Amino acid sequence: MDYSLIVIVVIVAALAFDFTNGFHDTANAMATSIATGALRPKVAVGLSAVLNLVGAFLSIEVAKTISGGIVDELKITPAVIFAGLVGAIIWNLLTWLVGLPSSSSHALFGGLIGATWIAAGADAIHFAKVVEKVLIPAIASPLVAGLVATVGTFVVYRITQRARQEVVGKAFKSGQVLSASLVSLAHGTNDAQKTMGIITLTLISSGSLAAGSSPPIWVILAAGAAIALGTYLGGWRIIQTMGRKLTEIQTPQGFAAEATAGAVILASSHFGFALSTTHVCSGGIIGSGVGRRLAEVRWGVAGRMVLAWLLTLPAAAIVGAVAAAIATKGDWGTLLVGVAGVGIAIAIYLVSKRNPVDPNSIAEQRPEPIPAGVA
């Protein structure tokens, strides 16, 4: 099938976003397993990459929500979608630079909504669907995951309190391999689909697909491969935050947090809720800290994470809106937005080299001591 140049550019940008989504969200699945020593860093990201690719083929419900639920696909153009993607990518890279586990999903939604609003007006946004499929899950999912992880962690420690701790640790390390794998699989069923939905939306808006179409098989494969590659390269800065700085994690906690997150994400994917896997996994980790002992959670770090969550959608929307205002002026506008996006991405990468975080430094770190009296 013949595609115009702008459609090809948008597809490339969507896969670039998918790549950043992969390395931004690797921590969701593997941070706790790396922190407890259940998996070596490079083994963890390799396993997560494979399972993300597999998960991409298990469902398309979330992709259908993105391609036909958030905005009116008949009122926007590929240039508008491109502008939204630029907003999402820039926010992903900024939060990666500072090691904050913000939501790649909400960055995507924010960029797309901001760009659509500027280009086609508020009527082109399905606000009821945004509330139902995005905002409500954004609030409910971390609370549910946190509550279940709290109860699960408490119960696990009560059951195993009389057992030999070395036996308990060994058993739960094995369990963590399975629970982390579940989260990686679930991540593929939810986050990889968002890029599938964006590419499908682009094809529909350009007239290459009929309205309401499901993602073609090549779109599923490309999106799964892009997120898997990003996952394999590993977002070590965010792994450091979620695995080392948020709470001290022992193997029973890690298992409870991962099992809870995996179950919540898989259930949401089944119903087409485009939730944030970052919110779910962070909620599970915090819940596991509360379930073991309240003072185990570093609430200052948690507070900065929540602030990033609150800023993500509107910040990406603003960048997407500015990009759309330029991109919709014509081909020169789209080119200018693309060049600016690439320039900002390169600048962020160069800044990150001043303070590198890699698998070796992650493996050598020990949990930071928690000051007395922190609650």
Side-chain angles (χ1 to χ4, degrees), residues 123-315:
D123 291 342
I125 302 168
H126 299 154
F127 287 103
K129 281 291 184 181
V130 172
V131 172
E132 176 191 354
K133 297 289 188 177
V134 178
L135 296 183
I136 291 177
I139 297 171
S141 58
L143 295 177
V144 171
L147 178 61
V148 175
T150 298
V151 174
T153 302
F154 177 79
V155 170
V156 164
Y157 275 101
R158 287 296 298 269
I159 292 174
T160 60
Q161 63 183 347
R162 297 180 183 275
R164 292 171 56 193
Q165 292 308 300
E166 60 270 23
V167 175
V168 172
K170 185 176 181 180
F172 277 102
K173 275 189 177 181
S174 299
Q176 271 198 278
V177 175
L178 296 176
S179 59
S181 297
L182 176 66
V183 176
S184 294
L185 188 70
H187 187 266
T189 68
N190 203 283
D191 276 45
Q193 288 190 58
K194 292 159 188 169
T195 297
M196 296 178 208
I198 285 294
I199 295 176
T200 303
L201 177 61
T202 302
L203 298 177
I204 292 172
S205 68
S206 67
S208 301
L209 283 179
S213 296
S214 297
I217 187 65
W218 69 265
V219 172
I220 297 174
L221 179 60
I227 202 169
L229 180 59
T231 300
Y232 179 71
L233 293 181
W236 304 111
R237 294 172 182 274
I238 299 175
I239 287 175
Q240 183 182 58
T241 298
M242 292 183 71
R244 304 293 190 188
K245 296 182 178 180
L246 188 55
T247 182
E248 288 182 336
I249 299 176
Q250 295 180 345
T251 51
Q253 291 170 263
F255 177 79
E258 291 165 352
T260 298
V264 171
I265 295 168
L266 284 173
S268 298
S269 297
H270 176 73
F271 291 107
F273 293 129
L275 52 69
S276 166
T277 55
T278 301
H279 290 188
V280 175
C281 294
S282 299
I285 291 173
I286 293 172
S288 72
V290 173
R292 179 180 164 203
R293 183 166 58 88
L294 183 60
E296 292 289 338
V297 177
R298 295 182 177 90
W299 292 106
V301 177
R304 290 194 295 273
M305 285 173 46
V306 172
L307 179 61
W309 294 355
L310 295 175
L311 290 175
T312 293
L313 200 149

Side-chain angles (χ1 to χ4, degrees), residues 312-329:
T312 293
L313 200 149
I318 291 172
V319 178
V322 172
I326 299 171
T328 52
K329 297 296 185 182

Side-chain angles (χ1 to χ4, degrees), residues 23-59:
F23 74 70
H24 199 283
D25 288 5
T26 305
N28 293 346
M30 293 299 173
T32 55
S33 295
I34 292 172
T36 62
L39 288 167
R40 295 192 302 276
K42 290 186 178 180
V43 173
V45 297
L47 176 62
S48 184
V50 172
L51 290 171
N52 264 280
L53 178 58
V54 174
F57 287 88
L58 297 184
S59 172

Side-chain angles (χ1 to χ4, degrees), residues 9 82 86 90 326 331-347:
V9 168
F82 177 68
V86 169
I90 290 175
I326 299 171
D331 292 344
W332 67 267
T334 303
L335 177 62
L336 180 60
V337 168
V339 170
V342 172
I344 293 172
I346 292 173

